[in-house]
Amino acid sequence: MIDRVIQEKREYELLSDMGTKSAESRGRAEAEEPDPVRTEFQRDRDRIIHTKAIRRLMHKTQVFLSPEGDHFSTRLTHTLDVAQISRSISRGLGLNEDLTEAIALGHDLGHTPFGHNGEQYLDERYPDGFRHNEQSLRVVDILEKGHGGRSGLNLTAEVRDGIVNHSGPGIPFTNEGMVVRISDRIAYINDDIEDAVMAGVISEDDLPRDCVKVLGNDHRTRINTLVTDMIVSSEKAGRIVQGEECGFYMNKLRDYMFEHVYRSEVVKQVAEMFKVRHLIFSLYDFYLEHPYEMPEEHIAMLYLYGTDEVVKDYIAGMTDRYAIKMYNHLFVPSGWRLSDNIKQKG
């Protein structure tokens, strides 16, 4: 049997000096007995895979609001793309793939419904401000249930750090966390281009010619170029970096996407965005006034964290369709039904 001890020994043989060794983990907030088969980072990956939060990502918007096609990216497909890209880079550099995958799978668990628009509106309404990377950490630390019904998954310090610092001002302290941080951008820029072309917002021919010349003229080629560049450049530098040329043109492509896609009237429809803002604000204000209308698991947390915090948690965890369902249930008349009248009389 290839048990945990054998795997930990193999890491010292196979991983480069840049790789984080499982046996050298900074540990968990609450000490646990080692698993006989899995390393610490493998356990974290498995815990994240089995969360309810990761399942909900399938029904959370990436860029296009409630797209009607089957092939548009969702928050879950984005997460899988980040995990795949990150692992390819980590494998090429001799880093710890299990740690990389755990961070990648957990990095967006705190995202709101309706993509970054939902994040923006919840940030406006929640008094302390909302940032999805911080919410992702709160999901794994508190909101998800661990073994025996305890609060949180009790993940290792390395995974928690990678999750909260995949975006924002903080920098991960592991090379694996840095790989995920950059891979997140590689994934969403290229996947969003594919979605925008599919939606007819842009065409491949519209992309800046110099970017296409350096990075490639299709989705597959661009990702392969950027992955290979990171492996080669990081190995030369002894730290996780992009090459100067590829980094420049990837950022230029990102700027193009902000100008022509993310802020496009086709994507960011004013009327629809107003509806999303109204929905988020209406749900927030209703549950703030009626907190005991939330599910029991959230009600139980009110005395620990306060109403604003728990209401924010509840709304952030909603999928697009569940948020719409709850809005309709609370604010849209359903009409008189004979069965309801009979039940009331009975």
Side-chain angles (χ1 to χ4, degrees):
M1 181 177 77
I2 302 175
D3 60 15
R4 172 185 53 80
V5 174
I6 292 175
Q7 292 186 70
E8 289 176 345
K9 288 180 179 178
R10 284 184 175 179
E11 287 183 356
Y12 285 99
E13 298 169 359
L14 298 175
L15 300 188
S16 68
D17 291 340
M18 296 175 67
T20 305
K21 315 304 188 291
S22 301
E24 298 176 9
S25 170
R26 298 186 185 185
R28 308 176 187 275
E30 182 180 338
E32 297 181 17
E33 286 294 322
D35 187 90
V37 176
R38 297 170 298 169
T39 67
E40 294 303 315
F41 301 143
Q42 289 170 355
R43 294 177 83 182
D44 284 0
R45 177 200 58 205
D46 294 349
R47 290 178 184 185
I48 292 169
I49 285 174
H50 292 295
T51 60
K52 292 179 180 178
I54 203 168
R55 299 174 209 169
R56 293 195 296 269
L57 297 181
M58 177 170 55
H59 299 293
K60 292 194 177 191
T61 290
Q62 178 71 6
V63 173
F64 291 89
L65 184 63
S66 300
E68 295 183 358
D70 291 334
H71 302 115
F72 285 92
S73 297
T74 66
R75 193 58 62 181
L76 179 59
T77 59
H78 165 72
T79 294
L80 296 177
D81 286 343
V82 175
Q84 179 269 320
I85 291 169
S86 299
R87 286 196 62 167
S88 294
I89 295 169
S90 289
R91 187 181 304 119
L93 288 169
L95 305 183
N96 194 311
E97 290 185 53
D98 296 321
L99 172 57
T100 302
E101 187 176 24
I103 295 169
L105 291 174
H107 84 282
D108 267 358
L109 293 180
H111 250 295
T112 63
F114 310 113
H116 288 288
N117 298 300
E119 180 176 10
Q120 175 187 332
Y121 301 140
L122 195 52
D123 179 57
E124 291 177 17
R125 188 63 191 84
Y126 176 56
D128 293 338
F130 182 87
R131 289 157 291 277
H132 79 270
N133 58 316
E134 295 176 1
Q135 187 68 15
S136 294
L137 184 62
R138 182 168 170 80
V139 168
V140 298
D141 276 357
I142 296 171
L143 301 181
E144 282 290 337
K145 299 300 179 185
H147 181 69
R150 71 184 178 197
S151 294
L153 304 180
N154 196 32
L155 302 180
T156 58
E158 291 79 5
V159 174
R160 295 179 64 256
D161 168 78
I163 288 174
V164 75
N165 289 316
H166 83 270
S167 64
I171 299 299
F173 65 73
T174 66
N175 287 316
E176 290 81 0
M178 278 300 301
V179 166
V180 173
R181 184 179 173 98
I182 299 175
S183 296
D184 185 29
R185 280 195 170 194
I186 293 174
Y188 79 68
I189 291 171
N190 286 283
D191 290 346
D192 294 350
I193 289 173
E194 193 170 51
D195 283 354
V197 171
M198 196 185 326
V201 178
I202 60 172
S203 72
E204 288 279 1
D205 293 336
D206 295 329
L207 298 176
R209 291 296 90 194
D210 52 352
C211 294
V212 170
K213 183 178 180 181
V214 173
L215 302 179
N217 60 0
D218 59 65
H219 179 271
R220 177 181 178 180
T221 304
R222 283 190 294 271
I223 289 181
N224 185 65
T225 299
L226 290 165
V227 167
T228 303
D229 168 73
M230 271 196 66
I231 294 171
V232 173
S233 299
S234 298
E235 190 169 46
K236 287 181 180 178
R239 58 189 179 89
I240 306 303
V241 295
Q242 286 185 291
E244 185 176 341
E245 184 179 49
C246 281
F248 173 82
Y249 285 108
M250 190 182 85
N251 287 331
K252 183 173 181 178
L253 205 53
R254 180 176 180 268
D255 292 340
Y256 171 86
M257 290 296 290
F258 268 96
E259 182 178 353
H260 296 277
V261 177
Y262 302 139
R263 299 192 183 107
S264 164
E265 291 183 3
V266 177
V267 176
K268 208 173 183 71
Q269 302 175 48
V270 176
E272 294 303 307
M273 292 304 101
F274 175 82
K275 293 176 186 177
V276 171
R277 186 176 187 275
H278 177 71
L279 182 150
I280 295 289
F281 276 44
S282 296
L283 290 177
Y284 193 100
D285 292 341
F286 175 84
Y287 288 115
L288 196 64
E289 188 174 347
H290 307 282
Y292 291 94
E293 293 294 321
M294 290 187 292
E296 184 60 39
E297 62 191 86
H298 291 278
I299 294 173
M301 302 177 74
L302 288 170
Y303 77 98
L304 286 173
Y305 302 106
T307 307
D308 272 299
E309 183 90 30
V310 178
V311 169
K312 175 264 296 178
D313 291 339
Y314 182 40
I315 294 175
M318 292 180 177
T319 62
D320 297 22
R321 64 185 185 179
Y322 183 76
I324 293 170
K325 176 183 176 181
M326 294 311 299
Y327 179 87
N328 287 335
H329 171 70
L330 293 171
F331 303 111
V332 178
S334 58
W336 183 88
R337 292 179 298 181
L338 178 62
S339 59
D340 291 339
N341 193 42
I342 292 174
K343 288 177 183 178
Q344 290 176 9
K345 287 184 176 181

PDB file of all heavy atoms in Angstrom, residues 306-321:
ATOM      1  N   GLY A 306     -23.980  38.375  14.507  1.00  0.00           N
ATOM      2  CA  GLY A 306     -24.810  39.550  14.260  1.00  0.00           C
ATOM      3  C   GLY A 306     -25.599  39.425  12.975  1.00  0.00           C
ATOM      4  O   GLY A 306     -25.244  38.670  12.062  1.00  0.00           O
ATOM      5  N   THR A 307     -26.666  40.186  12.863  1.00  0.00           N
ATOM      6  CA  THR A 307     -27.595  40.039  11.750  1.00  0.00           C
ATOM      7  C   THR A 307     -26.978  40.404  10.411  1.00  0.00           C
ATOM      8  O   THR A 307     -27.130  39.680   9.429  1.00  0.00           O
ATOM      9  CB  THR A 307     -28.854  40.899  11.999  1.00  0.00           C
ATOM     10  OG1 THR A 307     -29.393  40.589  13.281  1.00  0.00           O
ATOM     11  CG2 THR A 307     -29.916  40.609  10.940  1.00  0.00           C
ATOM     12  N   ASP A 308     -26.274  41.537  10.332  1.00  0.00           N
ATOM     13  CA  ASP A 308     -25.686  41.952   9.054  1.00  0.00           C
ATOM     14  C   ASP A 308     -24.757  40.884   8.482  1.00  0.00           C
ATOM     15  O   ASP A 308     -24.809  40.573   7.288  1.00  0.00           O
ATOM     16  CB  ASP A 308     -24.918  43.267   9.221  1.00  0.00           C
ATOM     17  CG  ASP A 308     -25.803  44.486   9.037  1.00  0.00           C
ATOM     18  OD1 ASP A 308     -26.370  44.644   7.944  1.00  0.00           O
ATOM     19  OD2 ASP A 308     -25.941  45.267   9.991  1.00  0.00           O
ATOM     20  N   GLU A 309     -23.906  40.340   9.313  1.00  0.00           N
ATOM     21  CA  GLU A 309     -22.936  39.342   8.857  1.00  0.00           C
ATOM     22  C   GLU A 309     -23.632  38.087   8.333  1.00  0.00           C
ATOM     23  O   GLU A 309     -23.286  37.553   7.273  1.00  0.00           O
ATOM     24  CB  GLU A 309     -22.000  38.960  10.007  1.00  0.00           C
ATOM     25  CG  GLU A 309     -20.909  37.978   9.621  1.00  0.00           C
ATOM     26  CD  GLU A 309     -19.646  38.668   9.129  1.00  0.00           C
ATOM     27  OE1 GLU A 309     -19.358  39.775   9.569  1.00  0.00           O
ATOM     28  OE2 GLU A 309     -18.962  38.065   8.286  1.00  0.00           O
ATOM     29  N   VAL A 310     -24.635  37.624   9.061  1.00  0.00           N
ATOM     30  CA  VAL A 310     -25.315  36.386   8.683  1.00  0.00           C
ATOM     31  C   VAL A 310     -26.178  36.588   7.438  1.00  0.00           C
ATOM     32  O   VAL A 310     -26.243  35.713   6.567  1.00  0.00           O
ATOM     33  CB  VAL A 310     -26.163  35.846   9.856  1.00  0.00           C
ATOM     34  CG1 VAL A 310     -26.914  34.585   9.439  1.00  0.00           C
ATOM     35  CG2 VAL A 310     -25.268  35.542  11.057  1.00  0.00           C
ATOM     36  N   VAL A 311     -26.829  37.723   7.337  1.00  0.00           N
ATOM     37  CA  VAL A 311     -27.609  38.026   6.129  1.00  0.00           C
ATOM     38  C   VAL A 311     -26.688  38.081   4.919  1.00  0.00           C
ATOM     39  O   VAL A 311     -27.005  37.555   3.842  1.00  0.00           O
ATOM     40  CB  VAL A 311     -28.380  39.352   6.291  1.00  0.00           C
ATOM     41  CG1 VAL A 311     -28.973  39.797   4.948  1.00  0.00           C
ATOM     42  CG2 VAL A 311     -29.494  39.194   7.324  1.00  0.00           C
ATOM     43  N   LYS A 312     -25.537  38.713   5.073  1.00  0.00           N
ATOM     44  CA  LYS A 312     -24.542  38.754   3.989  1.00  0.00           C
ATOM     45  C   LYS A 312     -24.122  37.354   3.589  1.00  0.00           C
ATOM     46  O   LYS A 312     -24.034  37.025   2.405  1.00  0.00           O
ATOM     47  CB  LYS A 312     -23.348  39.590   4.442  1.00  0.00           C
ATOM     48  CG  LYS A 312     -22.181  39.637   3.462  1.00  0.00           C
ATOM     49  CD  LYS A 312     -21.121  38.606   3.807  1.00  0.00           C
ATOM     50  CE  LYS A 312     -20.476  38.887   5.140  1.00  0.00           C
ATOM     51  NZ  LYS A 312     -19.472  37.849   5.497  1.00  0.00           N
ATOM     52  N   ASP A 313     -23.857  36.492   4.567  1.00  0.00           N
ATOM     53  CA  ASP A 313     -23.470  35.113   4.287  1.00  0.00           C
ATOM     54  C   ASP A 313     -24.551  34.380   3.494  1.00  0.00           C
ATOM     55  O   ASP A 313     -24.251  33.652   2.538  1.00  0.00           O
ATOM     56  CB  ASP A 313     -23.221  34.349   5.592  1.00  0.00           C
ATOM     57  CG  ASP A 313     -21.980  34.812   6.325  1.00  0.00           C
ATOM     58  OD1 ASP A 313     -21.094  35.415   5.692  1.00  0.00           O
ATOM     59  OD2 ASP A 313     -21.894  34.560   7.546  1.00  0.00           O
ATOM     60  N   TYR A 314     -25.798  34.560   3.919  1.00  0.00           N
ATOM     61  CA  TYR A 314     -26.912  33.858   3.277  1.00  0.00           C
ATOM     62  C   TYR A 314     -27.053  34.276   1.818  1.00  0.00           C
ATOM     63  O   TYR A 314     -27.172  33.428   0.923  1.00  0.00           O
ATOM     64  CB  TYR A 314     -28.199  34.141   4.059  1.00  0.00           C
ATOM     65  CG  TYR A 314     -29.424  33.424   3.528  1.00  0.00           C
ATOM     66  CD1 TYR A 314     -29.366  32.102   3.077  1.00  0.00           C
ATOM     67  CD2 TYR A 314     -30.662  34.071   3.504  1.00  0.00           C
ATOM     68  CE1 TYR A 314     -30.492  31.451   2.617  1.00  0.00           C
ATOM     69  CE2 TYR A 314     -31.801  33.421   3.044  1.00  0.00           C
ATOM     70  CZ  TYR A 314     -31.712  32.113   2.593  1.00  0.00           C
ATOM     71  OH  TYR A 314     -32.838  31.475   2.135  1.00  0.00           O
ATOM     72  N   ILE A 315     -27.028  35.569   1.555  1.00  0.00           N
ATOM     73  CA  ILE A 315     -27.214  36.063   0.189  1.00  0.00           C
ATOM     74  C   ILE A 315     -26.005  35.714  -0.679  1.00  0.00           C
ATOM     75  O   ILE A 315     -26.152  35.314  -1.838  1.00  0.00           O
ATOM     76  CB  ILE A 315     -27.473  37.575   0.195  1.00  0.00           C
ATOM     77  CG1 ILE A 315     -28.818  37.858   0.867  1.00  0.00           C
ATOM     78  CG2 ILE A 315     -27.454  38.140  -1.221  1.00  0.00           C
ATOM     79  CD1 ILE A 315     -29.132  39.326   1.043  1.00  0.00           C
ATOM     80  N   ALA A 316     -24.802  35.840  -0.138  1.00  0.00           N
ATOM     81  CA  ALA A 316     -23.601  35.512  -0.909  1.00  0.00           C
ATOM     82  C   ALA A 316     -23.601  34.051  -1.331  1.00  0.00           C
ATOM     83  O   ALA A 316     -23.087  33.696  -2.394  1.00  0.00           O
ATOM     84  CB  ALA A 316     -22.353  35.822  -0.099  1.00  0.00           C
ATOM     85  N   GLY A 317     -24.177  33.187  -0.522  1.00  0.00           N
ATOM     86  CA  GLY A 317     -24.190  31.761  -0.826  1.00  0.00           C
ATOM     87  C   GLY A 317     -25.247  31.349  -1.830  1.00  0.00           C
ATOM     88  O   GLY A 317     -25.235  30.220  -2.326  1.00  0.00           O
ATOM     89  N   MET A 318     -26.165  32.242  -2.158  1.00  0.00           N
ATOM     90  CA  MET A 318     -27.253  31.895  -3.077  1.00  0.00           C
ATOM     91  C   MET A 318     -26.736  31.711  -4.503  1.00  0.00           C
ATOM     92  O   MET A 318     -25.815  32.382  -4.934  1.00  0.00           O
ATOM     93  CB  MET A 318     -28.317  32.994  -3.084  1.00  0.00           C
ATOM     94  CG  MET A 318     -29.104  33.130  -1.793  1.00  0.00           C
ATOM     95  SD  MET A 318     -30.337  34.470  -1.940  1.00  0.00           S
ATOM     96  CE  MET A 318     -31.155  34.331  -0.343  1.00  0.00           C
ATOM     97  N   THR A 319     -27.374  30.816  -5.244  1.00  0.00           N
ATOM     98  CA  THR A 319     -27.158  30.745  -6.682  1.00  0.00           C
ATOM     99  C   THR A 319     -28.033  31.804  -7.346  1.00  0.00           C
ATOM    100  O   THR A 319     -28.941  32.361  -6.717  1.00  0.00           O
ATOM    101  CB  THR A 319     -27.545  29.363  -7.236  1.00  0.00           C
ATOM    102  OG1 THR A 319     -28.945  29.148  -7.003  1.00  0.00           O
ATOM    103  CG2 THR A 319     -26.739  28.260  -6.564  1.00  0.00           C
ATOM    104  N   ASP A 320     -27.778  32.061  -8.617  1.00  0.00           N
ATOM    105  CA  ASP A 320     -28.590  33.044  -9.347  1.00  0.00           C
ATOM    106  C   ASP A 320     -30.073  32.672  -9.277  1.00  0.00           C
ATOM    107  O   ASP A 320     -30.928  33.494  -8.959  1.00  0.00           O
ATOM    108  CB  ASP A 320     -28.165  33.110 -10.819  1.00  0.00           C
ATOM    109  CG  ASP A 320     -26.737  33.592 -11.004  1.00  0.00           C
ATOM    110  OD1 ASP A 320     -25.939  33.493 -10.062  1.00  0.00           O
ATOM    111  OD2 ASP A 320     -26.423  34.062 -12.112  1.00  0.00           O
ATOM    112  N   ARG A 321     -30.376  31.430  -9.599  1.00  0.00           N
ATOM    113  CA  ARG A 321     -31.773  31.026  -9.692  1.00  0.00           C
ATOM    114  C   ARG A 321     -32.447  30.969  -8.329  1.00  0.00           C
ATOM    115  O   ARG A 321     -33.644  31.242  -8.219  1.00  0.00           O
ATOM    116  CB  ARG A 321     -31.896  29.692 -10.423  1.00  0.00           C
ATOM    117  CG  ARG A 321     -31.241  28.494  -9.738  1.00  0.00           C
ATOM    118  CD  ARG A 321     -31.337  27.262 -10.621  1.00  0.00           C
ATOM    119  NE  ARG A 321     -30.833  26.069  -9.943  1.00  0.00           N
ATOM    120  CZ  ARG A 321     -30.823  24.864 -10.508  1.00  0.00           C
ATOM    121  NH1 ARG A 321     -31.249  24.700 -11.749  1.00  0.00           N
ATOM    122  NH2 ARG A 321     -30.350  23.821  -9.845  1.00  0.00           N
TER     123      ARG A 321
END
